[in-house]
Amino acid sequence: QVQPVQSGAEVKKPGASVKLSCRTSGNTFSTSFMHWVRQAPGQGLEWIGLINPNGINTKYAQKFQGRVTMTRDTPTSTVYMELSSLTSEDTAVYYCAEERTGSYKRFDPWGQGTLVTVSS
Amino acid sequence: QSALTQPASVSGSPGQSITFSCTGTTGDVGGYDYVSWYRQHPGKAPQLMIYDVSYRPSGVSDRFSGSKSGNTASLTISGLQAEDEADYYCSSFAGSSSYVFGTGTKVTVL
């Protein structure tokens, strides 16, 4: 399967925002749910939320509500995740993952990940 | 939403079988047959190994199998190989379009 391609590493100061991108195959983009998952250094996976194929409906984990925004751009087959009010606890690798038509309720394939470092 | 509980580590010798668990609640693992398992090698993205409790994606070895009983799902790796050494995470649908991951299990091949 074609793996989503994510944007490069980011370094941000506490209190700032970061906007990450994830570009997928045009063939599947219009019908795929897109999820974001993060992994802090040495820690496990944490589901952040999803954006559905129409780009209108989103669902965020309660922990991130009010601080995360997911959007998608159909012409470029790209989804975005913006996380605001960053703290050191947001330092992590952020992954996007597809939930494709006919392959519901599972994440496959995954992007390569984007390291976000929050440091003063 | 609390993380699903997995043992921190499991080990086995080459050729052996190992099984480890993923325990949730009736709101996630116990309520839906949407448990999936992911393998993650160091520095790499996770890879889907099992979906819908017990189904293998195309290309995944039949040495991997999954099951569920009540609020606990399990992953079995038979004929353990060096390449199986990795971190494994379960995930479950938790209703209302939300998902939860397990705490992760480090598999060591002795």
Side-chain angles (χ1 to χ4, degrees), chain A residues 3 10 17 35 42-43 47 52 54 58 71-72 75-77 85 87-88 97 100-101 103 110 117:
Chain A
Q3 182 182 34
E10 302 266 8
S17 297
H35 297 257
Q43 301 300 309
W47 184 77
N52 76 348
N54 65 20
T58 55
T71 56
R72 59 196 293 159
T76 60
S77 301
S85 303
T87 72
S88 59
R100 292 181 169 177
T101 300
S103 301
W110 295 61
T117 303

Side-chain angles (χ1 to χ4, degrees), chain A residues 39 59 95 105-107, chain B residues 38 40 51 89 96 99:
Chain A
Q39 185 171 38
K59 175 72 175 186
Y95 294 100
K105 305 295 191 288
R106 55 192 186 259
F107 313 125
Chain B
Y38 302 87
Q40 186 181 36
Y51 66 93
Y89 294 92
S96 300
Y99 294 79

